[in-house]
Amino acid sequence: MGGLIPASDDQGLGEGYHSPQVSVQVRLNTNESPYPPPRAFVDALTEAVATLPLHRYPDRRATALRAALAELHGVGPDQVFAGNGSNEVLQVLLSTYGGPGRTIAVFEPTYALHAHIARLTRTKVVVGERHPDFTLDLGEVKRVLSEARPEITFLCSPNNPTGGAESAATVAEVLDLAPGLLVVDEAYGQFAPWSALQLVADGVGLAVVRTYSKTWSMAAARLGYLVGPAPLVCELEQRALPYHLDALKQAAGRLALEYRAEMEARVALLTDERARLAAGLAALAVEAWPSDANFILFRPLARDGAEVWRELVERSVLVRNCSSWARLEGCLRVTVGTREENDAFLAALAEVLS
Ligand code: PMP
């Protein structure tokens, strides 16, 4: 391998996007569901796996999974593209519509992988700024989109890591302004009061990306999908690797949708816990931002963020350390966990800040 230099060497990609997987008792750093999937789902999946023809390649078009997702969202199966996590969906999207000579727009701070995957695909990234309170600045959106004319505009709603969801009026306005495709990343969409999915239609330049990793309690299964115009989905299908979605995952994704009521009950539980966590943070010496997701961004007022992070780890509590990220100086992000985990986090944080 001597002398072989990765092609991304000049792209400022650093070490990629990873959260350290430290061994702790309370893990609240990667926005997963704190609950394992329902037992009945695991049993049904076990049974389904036993009958899968594992010696054969999977259904390349993921017909049953896409049909089930289409039914869930009231769209056609030809408007659904599934991938190995929504990150892979974004990668296929950017390798299809991005690339040298193409541009995307993001509004920072937002989900780092939009810009990161764009750069990996040699797509130019233009960055717009949010208001100081992290809400979207529509004047800035207008300026950036009219100057850069990006092929793809990204929104993340609710926005990771700041937590706020965009309103229907805001998304409609950005859709109007975007010269190319608008992608709304709804990885945390189930926690938000509305979804841009209702705006998706053939002939509308909008794609909505979702994941099984959060509310469906299936982060380990690596499954995500996009809902968008059928011609766009057709292009993505052609760019994805053959048989990229294995048969086990297809079965898991389809079966999970039969447990929607359980998933919605978990969302309700976590939304209640989010309110409790926000109230707990409000009583401490931190600034915390309102969240429509399953995490809360906060900044210790009188203490260094990285130090607080370290002292939480010493108490076996792991949160996301955003303190060195641009525009998020001193900030930490905590995932909403179980009642016990949230209590343990709040108690540890109170101790660290006392
Ligand atoms: N989009 C957003 C906004 C996220 O926060 C994440 C997970 N961190 C993803 C996409 C990727 O999720 P996955 O690849 O697990 O579907």
Side-chain angles (χ1 to χ4, degrees), residues 6 43 83 92 131 134 180 182 224 279 305 324:
D43 291 345
V92 175
H131 286 301
F134 301 138
L182 172 64
S324 64

Side-chain angles (χ1 to χ4, degrees), residues 85-87 90 111 156 160 185 187-188 211 213-214 222-224:
S86 49
N87 280 340
L90 295 168
Y111 184 46
C156 186
N160 181 10
D185 185 336
Y188 307 95
T211 179
S213 296
K214 318 293 176 182
R222 310 302 303 123
L223 181 58

Side-chain angles (χ1 to χ4, degrees), residues 155 166 213 291 347:
L155 289 182
E166 305 307 340
S213 296
S291 170

